[in-house]
Amino acid sequence: MQAKNLLPALLSISAVCGVAVADVQVSNYDDLPEGFLGSAFDYNGVQYRDVNGVGGVFPDGSTFVPADIGNDFIIENAGLLYGDFPGWGSPSNCLTFGTSYIGGENLSLGAFATAWMDLPQVSDSISFDMVFYENGPWGGIVFHLDAYLNGNVVGTDSFTISDLGGRDNIAFSTLSVSGVQFDSAHIYATFGASLSAPRLMIDDLTINTVPAPASAGVLAAMALGLRRRRR
C-alpha cells in the first residue's frame, strides 16, 4: 500500500472496529450568549469549575478577599478587542471571570485567580490564548497552567507579566502543555507565594484527546484488513 493511502485505511478500519482516534477540540465560546455562567459550567465536554473564591495579594502589597474578585465564569463579547487585534483568538466571544461585564462589543477583562477544567477523556495537549493587562499594578504576577493525571501534576507552563512600570496596557500570550497525558487542568495566578488576581480573558481553548487503547482482537482485525488492502 502506498504511504499516502495508509492513514485513510487506518481511519476506516478504526471506525469499523470501534477504535477511538485522536480528536482536536477547539472551544471558542462563540455559540454561547454573553453573560454570567455561574461558578461552574460544561462546554464542549469540558467541565469548568472552582473559579476564584479565594483571597490573595497584589504586587503593591495590597490584598483582596473572595468577594472582591467574585466567583463567576463570564462570556464576554469582546468585539472591540478583535477589531483592534484581529490575529488574537476567534471573534467575537471569549471567556472571562469575576464580578461584572459590559454588554455589547466592549472590553471587560475580569479578575482572575484560579479555575479548574475537567476534561472529557485523557488528553495529551492543551493550549489557550490569553489577553491581560501588563505593567502598571500587574507587573510580576505569574500565570500558571498545570496538567493533572489522577490528581498528580504531570506537566506545567507559566508566564510572568511584564514589569516595566508606567501605565498598564493590553498584552497577549499563550499557555500550553503537551507531551504528557492528563485528565484535568488548573489555571491560576500567583505573586510570590500567594495567589493573585490579574485581569484575564481566554479564547480558543484547544485540547487533543488520546485515542482509547485497542484490544488484541481489534488490532488483529486492523492488521488483517491492511494485509488484504495490500493485495
Side-chain angles (χ1 to χ4, degrees):
M1 175 181 291
Q2 295 181 358
K4 67 180 181 180
N5 294 325
L6 181 59
L7 180 58
L10 284 172
L11 292 176
S12 176
I13 295 170
S14 297
V16 171
C17 297
V19 180
V21 296
D23 178 43
V24 178
Q25 177 71 62
V26 180
S27 295
N28 58 28
Y29 313 105
D30 291 336
D31 57 345
L32 295 176
E34 186 177 29
F36 292 101
L37 298 173
S39 60
F41 74 104
D42 294 350
Y43 182 64
N44 282 346
V46 178
Q47 295 181 331
Y48 297 76
R49 61 177 174 86
D50 298 336
V51 59
N52 292 346
V54 296
V57 63
F58 292 110
D60 64 1
S62 61
T63 60
F64 61 90
V65 298
D68 294 328
I69 62 171
N71 62 345
D72 272 286
F73 292 100
I74 303 170
I75 296 299
E76 165 73 334
N77 178 348
L80 293 180
L81 174 73
Y82 293 111
D84 291 339
F85 302 96
W88 184 82
S90 303
S92 58
N93 285 354
C94 58
L95 182 65
T96 190
F97 318 86
T99 61
S100 63
Y101 73 96
I102 302 173
E105 295 187 351
N106 295 286
L107 181 60
S108 304
L109 278 74
F112 172 79
T114 178
W116 284 83
M117 294 181 291
D118 297 326
L119 310 184
Q121 67 185 71
V122 173
S123 304
D124 61 9
S125 71
I126 182 172
S127 68
F128 56 87
D129 294 338
M130 304 189 300
V131 58
F132 50 90
Y133 291 122
E134 65 178 358
N135 303 325
W138 317 110
I141 295 175
V142 183
F143 288 112
H144 304 263
L145 169 62
D146 290 350
Y148 281 75
L149 180 66
N150 298 325
N152 299 308
V153 177
V154 294
T156 188
D157 191 17
S158 64
F159 177 85
T160 302
I161 297 176
S162 175
D163 189 16
L164 299 179
R167 288 182 56 85
D168 53 353
N169 59 273
I170 291 286
F172 304 89
S173 188
T174 300
L175 287 180
S176 65
V177 172
S178 62
V180 294
Q181 295 190 1
F182 49 91
D183 54 23
S184 63
H186 184 203
I187 312 170
Y188 58 104
T190 61
F191 183 74
S194 301
L195 288 171
S196 194
R199 297 323 189 233
L200 175 68
M201 297 192 302
I202 72 171
D203 202 2
D204 286 359
L205 174 72
T206 304
I207 298 170
N208 185 68
T209 58
V210 176
S215 66
V218 169
L219 290 174
M222 292 175 67
L224 177 60
L226 286 175
R227 285 197 298 270
R228 288 176 174 173
R229 285 171 177 261
R230 290 194 184 101
R231 294 175 182 174

